[in-house]
């Protein structure tokens, strides 16, 4: 097993996760099998109880692991399926060591950071690196490890020490350290400054780790004299210094690494240069080029309460992005704070109220993502009501589906006191209730999590057609509340269809309003399984409906095969396994990807 460690210096938020993912892409294109590990030095056991404002979205894996959003980057870039153990936290490490101590496995010794914690970190890495994540048998060739935070953080110290020992343990030729650092350009003088990177590398070397490759973040390509200076002061060959400068879209980053021969430097350090072929990234070139050629826009109103931080909805944005390019549309996301849609805002901040409603009414489609807590709930209900009454395409995810059910009960079924017990435990008409198996005393890991099966109850519904007329789908969940199964007959009599249910038939998974252009809600989170070349069907449905393509798309759906809205790129075809009547089948579709424009301005990668 070979290991590539990615660390960061100077400031956080430089893009270590995207860099690690892109390194994996380039090495995979050289014919190597890749797995990934993300180390988060915080004391939380996992990301499940952390606010999206604090740490971005919580990404959910097939096994129910609630992990850092960078694992979502790894899965999307490398098309792999990771496990909860691929995310290491300080909490997990200390928990495992203390459990051993309680069992008496340390034979009476004093339990210390060195060697017990550092050994536990190394053993965890070695164990998880051997687990295949690409659907093939046997371990991968290279494990890409990303260490969160920046060099010098006090909480990172045990991991730095452990990784220093680990590099010695696995020996030369099996360990490559890539250090991502900042080379700022000061507007006053207009030159690239190397001192921050020099100090960062000096700190790294002082802790026992020496970088083999420098990945320098800058607004423009590094000048040759700057490279020479960095090489001299950081003891890294100039050929091993690459620039990660600002690009038009995220799909250009693996191409940046390839063009600067980063793969050759990494393969040389790992003694793999004689085994690997040259990188084949034609699909990535086509993807990046396609994105930049898009002209026709589609506007989606994202109605949520974390709209101030785009990372809070990262997977949703990526799924929208994948779907929009599959429909050959340039995505414009209009952020709408759900609280701004509420009547109280009309009184307190009329300008914000008007701006929010103008954005909602100017959008081609509406998306209400998942979330927790009662802030902004009324605004989300009003967004669902607007979309339902005005035949505007709507996709509600998790909470977004539950609130669509609440709105339908209040407005269509004339049940004004309908509510979720999440917001009113004593609701007189509880259409959304706490799940029987949930815990009201413990927050972490007590929800319905991970991959669960949804069976289609209505064969000719839009959702089933979008999934390729399959009998069931497996999607990832993260919720504590569900639609009250006792009220389902009332809803169906009033015109709300529950087209997808779990294996018991008691848990509602997908809702639709049949005579609406596109009104769909999903209890699961389809965004977590969306891939650049395999966009989520429900997101494709939203974008297609919002851009006038849904009828044509659904007409091409028959016998488990979905005909793409546009012809596929010749080098961008893919196949994914779907199921019909319990039998595996292949579903073909076109290549897609792109980026989104927040409020129509600038590019977000």
């Amino acid at each position: 097993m070979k290991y590539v460690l990615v660390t960061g210096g100077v400031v956080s938020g430089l893009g270590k996760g995207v860099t690690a993912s892109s390194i994996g892409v380039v090495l995979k294109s050289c014919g190597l099998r890749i797995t990934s590990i993300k180390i988060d030095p915080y004391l939380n056991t996992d990301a499940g109880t952390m606010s999206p404002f604090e740490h971005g979205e919580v990404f959910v894996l097939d096994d129910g692991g609630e992990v850092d959003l960078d694992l979502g980057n790894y899965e999307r870039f490398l098309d792999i399926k990771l496990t909860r153990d691929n995310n290491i936290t300080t909490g997990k490490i200390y928990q495992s060591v203390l459990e051993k101590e309680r069992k008496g496995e340390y034979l009476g010794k004093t339990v210390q950071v060195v060697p017990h914690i550092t050994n536990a970190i190394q053993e965890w890495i070695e164990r998880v690196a051997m687990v295949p994540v690409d659907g093939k048998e046997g371990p991968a060739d290279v494990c890409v490890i990303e260490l969160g935070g920046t060099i010098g953080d006090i909480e990172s110290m045990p991991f730095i020490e452990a990784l220093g020992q680990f590099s010695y343990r696995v020996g030369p030729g099996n360990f490559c350290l890539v250090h991502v650092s900042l080379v700022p350009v000061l507007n006053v003088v207009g030159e690239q400054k190397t001192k921050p990177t020099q100090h960062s590398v000096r700190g790294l070397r002082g802790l026992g780790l020496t970088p083999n490759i420098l990945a320098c973040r800058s607004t423009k390509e590094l000048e040759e004299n700057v490279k020479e200076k960095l090489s001299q002061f950081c003891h890294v060959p100039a050929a091993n210094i690459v620039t990660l400068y600002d690009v038009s879209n995220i799909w250009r980053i693996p191409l940046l690494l390839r063009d600067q021969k980063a793969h050759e430097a990494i393969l040389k350090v790992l003694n793999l240069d004689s085994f690997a072929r040259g990188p084949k990234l034609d699909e990535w070139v086509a993807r990046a080029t396609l994105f930049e050629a898009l002209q026709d826009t589609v506007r989606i109103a994202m109605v949520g309460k974390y709209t101030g931080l785009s990372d809070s909805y990262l997977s949703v944005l990526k799924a929208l992005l994948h779907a929009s390019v599959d429909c050959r549309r340039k995505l414009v996301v209009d952020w709408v704070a759900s609280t701004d849609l509420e009547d109280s805002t009309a009184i307190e901040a009329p300008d914000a109220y008007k701006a929010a409603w103008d954005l909602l009414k100017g959008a081609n489609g509406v998306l209400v993502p998942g979330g927790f807590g009662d802030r902004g709930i009324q605004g989300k209900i009003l967004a669902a009501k607007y979309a339902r009454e005005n035949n505007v395409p709507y996709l509600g995810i998790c909470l977004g589906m539950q609130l669509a059910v609440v709105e339908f009960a209040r407005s269509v079924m004339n049940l004004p006191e309908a509510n979720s017990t999440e917001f009113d435990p004593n609701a007189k008409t509880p259409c959304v209730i706490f799940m029987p198996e949930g815990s009201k005393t413990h927050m972490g890991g007590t929800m319905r999590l991970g991959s669960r099966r949804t069976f289609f109850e209505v064969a000719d519904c839009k959702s089933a057609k979008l999934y390729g007329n399959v009998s069931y789908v497996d999607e990832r969940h993260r919720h504590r509340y569900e639609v009250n199964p006792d009220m389902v007959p009332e809803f169906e009599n009033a015109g709300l269809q529950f087209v997808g249910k779990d294996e018991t038939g008691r848990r509602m998974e997908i809702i639709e309003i049949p005579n609406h252009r596109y009104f769909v809600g999903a209890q699961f989170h389809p965004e977590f399984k969306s891939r650049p070349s395999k966009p989520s069907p429900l997101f494709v449905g939203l974008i297609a409906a919002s851009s006038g393509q849904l009828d044509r798309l659904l007409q091409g759906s028959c016998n488990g095969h979905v005909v793409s809205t546009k012809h596929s790129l010749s080098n961008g075809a893919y196949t994914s396994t779907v199921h019909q009547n319990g039998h595996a089948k292949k579903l073909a579709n076109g290549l897609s990807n792109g980026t989104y424009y927040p409020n129509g301005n600038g590019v977000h990668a």
Side-chain angles (χ1 to χ4, degrees), residues 218-272:
S218 190
T219 54
K220 58 183 180 180
E221 196 168 357
L222 284 190
E223 297 164 9
E224 284 304 316
N225 65 312
V226 174
K227 273 192 179 183
E228 292 297 335
K229 191 174 182 181
L230 284 171
S231 176
Q232 183 179 359
F233 282 97
C234 299
H235 301 184
V236 175
N240 288 14
I241 299 175
V242 299
T243 320
L244 299 176
Y245 54 87
D246 295 347
V247 290
S248 56
N249 68 81
I250 199 171
W251 314 113
R252 292 282 178 196
I253 297 174
L255 307 181
L256 268 186
L257 294 174
R258 178 203 63 181
D259 294 344
Q260 296 176 71
K261 295 183 168 47
H263 58 287
E264 292 183 6
I266 295 170
L267 294 173
K268 187 175 181 181
V269 172
L270 296 177
N271 289 336
L272 287 173

Side-chain angles (χ1 to χ4, degrees), residues 354-376:
K354 181 181 183 302
W357 276 101
D358 286 348
L359 283 177
L360 185 67
K361 292 178 178 179
N364 304 118
V366 177
L367 192 153
V368 177
F372 298 91
D374 57 3
R375 185 168 63 85

Side-chain angles (χ1 to χ4, degrees), residues 60-363:
V60 180
L61 302 170
D62 267 10
D63 66 358
E66 297 174 285
V67 296
D68 183 79
L69 59 81
D70 279 321
L71 274 79
N73 282 327
Y74 305 156
E75 286 205 342
R76 284 187 291 268
F77 269 61
L78 297 167
D79 196 17
I80 55 179
K81 286 187 180 180
L82 300 172
T83 70
R84 67 178 75 232
D85 286 347
N86 289 85
N87 193 192
I88 303 175
T89 68
T90 300
K92 287 181 180 178
I93 294 295
Y94 274 80
Q95 191 175 52
S96 68
V97 169
L98 290 173
E99 284 174 359
K100 286 184 178 180
E101 185 273 334
R102 290 288 83 188
K103 292 177 183 176
E105 292 187 23
Y106 295 116
L107 301 175
K109 291 194 177 292
T110 303
V111 180
Q112 297 174 288
V113 173
V114 181
H116 300 100
I117 296 296
T118 52
N119 283 350
I121 294 167
Q122 295 175 67
E123 289 162 7
W124 192 301
I125 291 171
E126 283 191 319
R127 172 174 58 86
V128 174
M130 300 300 289
V131 178
V133 294
D134 57 2
K136 300 176 183 176
E137 294 184 1
D141 301 309
V142 179
C143 177
V144 179
I145 306 166
E146 180 196 344
L147 176 62
T150 54
I151 297 304
D153 294 347
I154 191 167
E155 60 264 33
S156 299
M157 292 304 181
F159 292 100
I160 294 287
E161 176 63 30
L163 290 163
Q165 293 178 19
F166 189 67
S167 66
Y168 176 75
R169 178 169 160 180
V170 300
N174 294 313
F175 189 89
C176 176
L177 173 52
V178 180
H179 187 58
V180 182
S181 187
L182 179 67
V183 179
V185 178
L186 300 182
N187 291 333
V188 180
V189 290
E191 67 174 320
Q192 295 172 324
K193 290 295 184 181
T194 64
K195 197 64 73 177
T197 297
Q198 290 181 46
H199 285 306
S200 181
V201 171
R202 185 180 299 134
L204 188 60
R205 293 174 66 197
L207 294 169
L209 285 169
T210 301
N212 302 104
I213 293 165
L214 283 182
C216 299
R217 284 286 286 114
S218 190
T219 54
K220 58 183 180 180
E221 196 168 357
L222 284 190
E223 297 164 9
E224 284 304 316
N225 65 312
V226 174
K227 273 192 179 183
E228 292 297 335
K229 191 174 182 181
L230 284 171
S231 176
Q232 183 179 359
F233 282 97
C234 299
H235 301 184
V236 175
N240 288 14
I241 299 175
V242 299
T243 320
L244 299 176
Y245 54 87
D246 295 347
V247 290
S248 56
N249 68 81
I250 199 171
W251 314 113
R252 292 282 178 196
I253 297 174
L255 307 181
L256 268 186
L257 294 174
R258 178 203 63 181
D259 294 344
Q260 296 176 71
K261 295 183 168 47
H263 58 287
E264 292 183 6
I266 295 170
L267 294 173
K268 187 175 181 181
V269 172
L270 296 177
N271 289 336
L272 287 173
D273 43 341
S274 60
F275 298 97
R277 65 181 189 224
K280 295 182 178 180
L281 291 168
D282 293 348
E283 184 178 330
W284 287 78
V285 174
R287 187 172 291 143
T289 305
L290 171 61
F291 152 73
E292 288 161 359
L294 296 174
Q295 298 294 327
D296 298 331
T297 60
V298 59
R299 304 190 76 93
I300 300 296
M302 176 85 83
V303 183
K305 70 174 184 176
Y306 306 117
T307 53
L309 181 68
S310 62
D311 273 2
S312 300
Y313 301 115
L314 185 64
S315 291
V316 174
L317 291 167
K318 295 301 181 187
L320 281 171
L321 176 154
H322 302 157
S324 64
V325 182
D326 193 63
C327 295
R328 303 307 191 259
R329 290 294 184 271
K330 179 159 49 174
L331 179 64
V332 180
V333 174
D334 290 324
W335 298 95
V336 180
S338 55
T339 50
D340 288 349
L341 296 171
E342 297 175 353
D343 294 341
S344 58
T345 305
I347 300 168
E348 297 165 7
D351 290 345
Y353 178 81
K354 181 181 183 302
W357 276 101
D358 286 348
L359 283 177
L360 185 67
K361 292 178 178 179

